[in-house]
Amino acid sequence: MQTGVDHESAADVHDAPDEIIVVRTRHGPGGNPVTDTLLRPPETSSTPAVRTPAAAPPPRSSTKHPRDTRPTPQPHRLTASGVVGIAVLGLATFFAITTELSPVGLLSTMSGDLGVSEARMGVVVTVYAVAVAALALPLTWATARFPRKAVLVTTLVGYTASNLMVALAPSFGVLLTGRVVGGIAHALFFSVAPACATRIVPPRLAGRAIAFVYSGSSLGFVVGVPLATTVGDQLGWRPAVGAVAVATAVLAVVAALFLPHVQGESSPHVGSVRSWARSGLLAVVVADLMLFAGHYVVYTFIGPYLTGAGLGEDLVGGALLVLGGTGVVGLLAAGAFVDRAPRQTLIVAVAVMIGALAALPFVHGSLVGTFVVAGLWMAANGTTGTLFMAAAIRTGGGSPDIAGALVNAGSNVGIAAGAAVGGQVYGMSGLATVPFAAAAIVAISLVVIVAGRRGFPLTGHAQANLSTSSLAVITSSVAVVTTSIPTVGEGRRGRRPRR
């Protein structure tokens, strides 16, 4: 039996954001000193670490300690580097979405320049999505141990290469190859960026960090794609895509210089299909997949659809800007209800999408009617990104990176399938029947949501690090940065030196 007195020295107690590390020296059998290292989570420790006068240090051991492979701990306070890192990730998300969806608004001019039909040109959306769907999970798992900063900078380089290949493509085949390169970068970026954002801010702000990343995505829909379309209408699609290439190249340099270092995970929690099903994660992924499929049956061909309703081809970019702006309404709804009523909000949003898509053919002869109904569709769709990602992470069916990869893969399977189905329906029976096919597919998503109560609970789980109820943070990039400045200042003034 071991007896003796334990001593904890002030020099041996270290505060960390997720745990308290205590080095304890006690007397073992025969009076020999024995050293214990304890990890105490602050929120579960029944008593705080007791600081006593420093005891004599234990004798040094010749045995080397194994390298610490734990993920980078989250900081106590929001730092200036954390604010800059979140801003970089938000901008990166903006250009990632712009890269992915710029062909949607440029479809007509690209098809005319390269001599292929609009229905066939829709494949540029499909191949991108197929690459993401096939590679999101394996690439995320394979790179889980790599520093997150290096992975994210690499994805930005990939986006740059993709846009350059597309802008300079002499043929349809080269253009498709460039889109595949972009899909590979996208497979990693949207799996890693949200989880990385949560590691460079304090736990209480992790949900806001996720929301900020997705605000960049929403801005890509609202501003990036319409702006690229407008530039394409005025100067040509090649300069428009080339400008995105230049922007992503500059952002890659900025990320390399200013994005904070975040370690990878030594052993990411992947789970299995059985555990995904049991936790509800699989239901979230399937519902997300079907919703994206239905959405992209029509959205892939939104340019031709609007011109068919009577809109001038030179006004498509402005029309997409207006329709994208209605998505802000959905983003506000998601921020207001994602913690209080996530299931109810998602059911209402998807039901509105179904009704709007089914109504589109009946108002196609009226440009005003088409805009009103399409605005309802886009506003409802604007809620889904935040709600699906929050639901996936909350299930606990895998680590945040893995949950993000599964949702990323599911979304892009849906995009690929939706673009392919839309192209087939468009080619066989024209644009008039495309919205009916979209509504039928989205209805399947609604059935999964209603049946999957474990993945879509009535109330949000009580997890502070997933709170996304701050509307100012979700909807305004400027608000996030400016409201963080006082916190950074307080952190600098109040930070105690580490011992």
Side-chain angles (χ1 to χ4, degrees), residues 146-157 188 255-256 259-262:
F146 297 167
R148 304 291 84 186
K149 178 176 179 177
V151 172
L152 288 168
V153 171
T154 300
T155 63
L156 291 172
V157 173
L188 262 179
L259 195 64
H261 173 76
V262 177

Side-chain angles (χ1 to χ4, degrees), residues 68 73 76 78 158 186 193 231 268 288 301-302 312 316 318 330 334 384 393 435 439 475 482 485-486 497:
D68 184 7
H76 281 296
L78 187 62
H186 205 87
V231 173
D288 178 73
F301 304 98
I302 189 65
V316 171
T384 58
I393 296 177
T475 58
T482 56
I485 292 174

Side-chain angles (χ1 to χ4, degrees), residues 103-179:
V104 171
L106 302 173
L107 203 66
S108 297
T109 55
M110 291 172 70
S111 63
D113 186 43
L114 295 175
V116 299
S117 67
E118 289 180 349
R120 187 185 177 198
M121 184 58 68
V123 175
V124 302
V125 177
T126 303
V127 296
Y128 192 103
V130 168
V132 177
L135 297 174
L137 186 57
L139 283 180
T140 301
W141 178 83
T143 60
R145 295 164 179 80
F146 297 167
R148 304 291 84 186
K149 178 176 179 177
V151 172
L152 288 168
V153 171
T154 300
T155 63
L156 291 172
V157 173
Y159 283 127
T160 302
S162 170
N163 284 305
L164 279 177
M165 292 179 69
V166 171
L168 302 175
S171 65
F172 183 62
V174 175
L175 188 148
L176 285 181
T177 303
R179 293 290 291 173

Side-chain angles (χ1 to χ4, degrees), residues 343-444:
R343 175 182 175 84
Q344 300 93 317
T345 306
L346 192 56
I347 288 175
V348 170
V350 176
V352 171
M353 282 185 66
I354 295 169
L357 288 168
L360 272 177
F362 296 102
V363 297
H364 195 233
S366 167
L367 184 58
V368 173
T370 298
F371 262 94
V372 170
V373 175
L376 287 174
W377 158 39
M378 297 298 290
N381 183 70
T383 67
T384 58
T386 299
L387 292 170
F388 275 120
M389 181 57 75
I393 296 177
R394 282 169 169 158
T395 63
S399 64
D401 278 2
I402 298 301
L406 289 171
V407 172
N408 193 12
S411 299
N412 283 275
V413 168
I415 292 172
V421 170
Q424 288 295 317
V425 175
Y426 183 11
M428 292 174 59
S429 55
L431 282 174
T433 58
V434 170
F436 288 133
I441 295 172
V442 176
I444 299 173

Side-chain angles (χ1 to χ4, degrees), residues 185-201:
H186 205 87
L188 262 179
F189 178 81
F190 270 95
S191 301
V192 174
C196 180
T198 66
R199 300 303 303 173
I200 60 180
V201 298

